[in-house]
Amino acid sequence: MGSRLRIGLLCALAMMAVSLFAATGSASAAGTIEGKAVDATTKVGIEGISVCVYDSIELELAAPCVNTDSNGEYATAALISGNYIVRFWGDETGYVSQFFDGAMAYEDATEVPVSNGPTTGIDAEMEIGGEITGRVTDATTGAGIDEVEVCAFNFSVFAGCTETGASGGYTLQGVASGSYTVEFWAAFLGYETRFYNESASSSGASPVPVTAPGTTPGIDARLSKPGSKVIVTPVPKITAPVLPIRKVVPKPKPKKPLTCRKGFKKVKRHGRKVCVKKHKKKKHRS
């Protein structure tokens, strides 16, 4: 499966290297590939980038992968004359993996010709990638599962793989910004393969968005073995007691006593009290 291309190639590395050099012989080795991997922002060399060289036609490893040194520099083992594809694997250091020259996909990679002597200047400027994190558990027991292979990919980019730890947790580093299908594979432990979210096929998987250099958390999975009974814990419903509806009648506001200012008096007119101006009593002549 394409999502496990790198792990499959690396597992067969020793056997392929031995068969290759046995068939060609050391006398046919012609040259090497050399270069440097640096941080795209700081231009400082990056240590620990794995540099792998593939045959451009067969897509097989042409020599053992090498790691960059403390200055970010590397040099491959001797290679026979021909064209090669160089890949810089940065996921273990948090950088986005890439092909030479800055390509994300194999089809876009620039081939590197090798003849006699070193081919120099095969460099890479690498960007810090995002992360996908989560936990993988047994669907029956709920316990974390160790050594589950978690891979992220889309139609054009294979972002890489990682493994879960003893508690089932994982962190996949060096993921470029984009949307990915995430696969959880543990067939060697007897579990069925699942894709996020609980899908049995990649076509039904929920896409996982990544924005570098941020983290996309909570990409979890529950794996089950064929024939096992998955225990689903029901979520208790919380219901509040129903109270009778009461019609609230607002209380009438108490009426303030009527007060009249100086020079006015209270009188009752039309059923209610009002203030009217006092009139001086006229004195009658005797």
Side-chain angles (χ1 to χ4, degrees):
M1 184 178 288
S3 64
R4 289 188 290 277
L5 174 62
R6 183 193 180 194
I7 289 182
L9 289 172
L10 293 179
C11 290
L13 177 61
M15 183 180 297
M16 295 171 62
V18 170
S19 61
L20 176 66
F21 288 109
T24 60
S26 59
S28 60
T32 59
I33 297 175
E34 300 178 7
K36 186 175 184 179
V38 300
D39 185 288
T41 303
T42 66
K43 310 303 179 184
V44 175
I46 309 169
E47 183 177 7
I49 299 296
S50 182
V51 184
C52 299
V53 180
Y54 301 91
D55 180 273
S56 62
I57 298 176
E58 301 296 331
L59 277 185
E60 295 180 346
L61 278 171
C65 299
V66 295
N67 289 334
T68 56
D69 60 19
S70 58
N71 296 318
E73 298 176 345
Y74 74 93
T76 68
L79 301 165
I80 62 174
S81 297
N83 293 330
Y84 296 91
I85 298 296
V86 179
R87 180 155 195 176
F88 300 85
W89 291 96
D91 50 336
E92 293 184 357
T93 57
Y95 285 89
V96 177
S97 299
Q98 63 175 258
F99 293 92
F100 182 77
D101 185 23
M104 295 297 295
Y106 164 78
E107 293 80 4
D108 301 322
T110 300
E111 293 186 5
V112 178
V114 172
S115 56
N116 294 326
T119 300
T120 60
I122 309 304
D123 305 329
E125 292 190 356
M126 308 190 71
E127 301 274 357
I128 289 287
E131 293 182 344
I132 299 174
T133 64
R135 186 167 182 258
V136 182
T137 57
D138 187 291
T140 301
T141 66
I145 309 174
D146 191 12
E147 296 183 332
V148 177
E149 183 180 293
V150 184
C151 300
F153 55 92
N154 57 32
F155 65 93
S156 62
V157 175
F158 172 58
C161 296
T162 189
E163 287 187 352
T164 59
S167 65
Y170 74 90
T171 299
L172 179 58
Q173 304 180 95
V175 183
S177 296
S179 183
Y180 296 88
T181 296
V182 177
E183 179 190 36
F184 303 90
W185 182 82
F188 67 100
L189 296 175
Y191 288 97
E192 296 177 327
T193 299
R194 284 291 180 268
F195 299 83
Y196 185 78
N197 185 6
E198 304 290 338
S199 174
S201 65
S202 58
S203 60
S206 298
V208 175
V210 175
T211 302
T215 298
T216 302
I219 308 304
D220 305 330
R222 299 188 310 158
L223 302 185
S224 58
K225 296 180 180 180
S228 63
K229 184 178 180 181
V230 178
I231 299 176
V232 179
T233 304
V235 179
K237 293 183 178 180
I238 301 174
T239 56
V242 179
L243 299 177
I245 299 174
R246 294 188 307 165
K247 186 176 181 180
V248 179
V249 180
K251 293 181 180 180
K253 294 182 179 180
K255 293 183 179 180
K256 294 182 180 180
L258 181 65
T259 57
C260 298
R261 58 178 175 155
K262 188 177 180 179
F264 286 78
K265 65 179 179 178
K266 295 179 186 177
V267 296
K268 193 171 184 178
R269 289 183 180 176
H270 307 292
R272 62 192 186 101
K273 293 179 180 181
V274 295
C275 295
V276 294
K277 192 174 183 180
K278 292 180 181 180
H279 295 282
K280 292 181 180 181
K281 293 181 180 180
K282 294 182 180 180
K283 292 182 180 180
H284 297 279
R285 294 179 182 178
S286 54

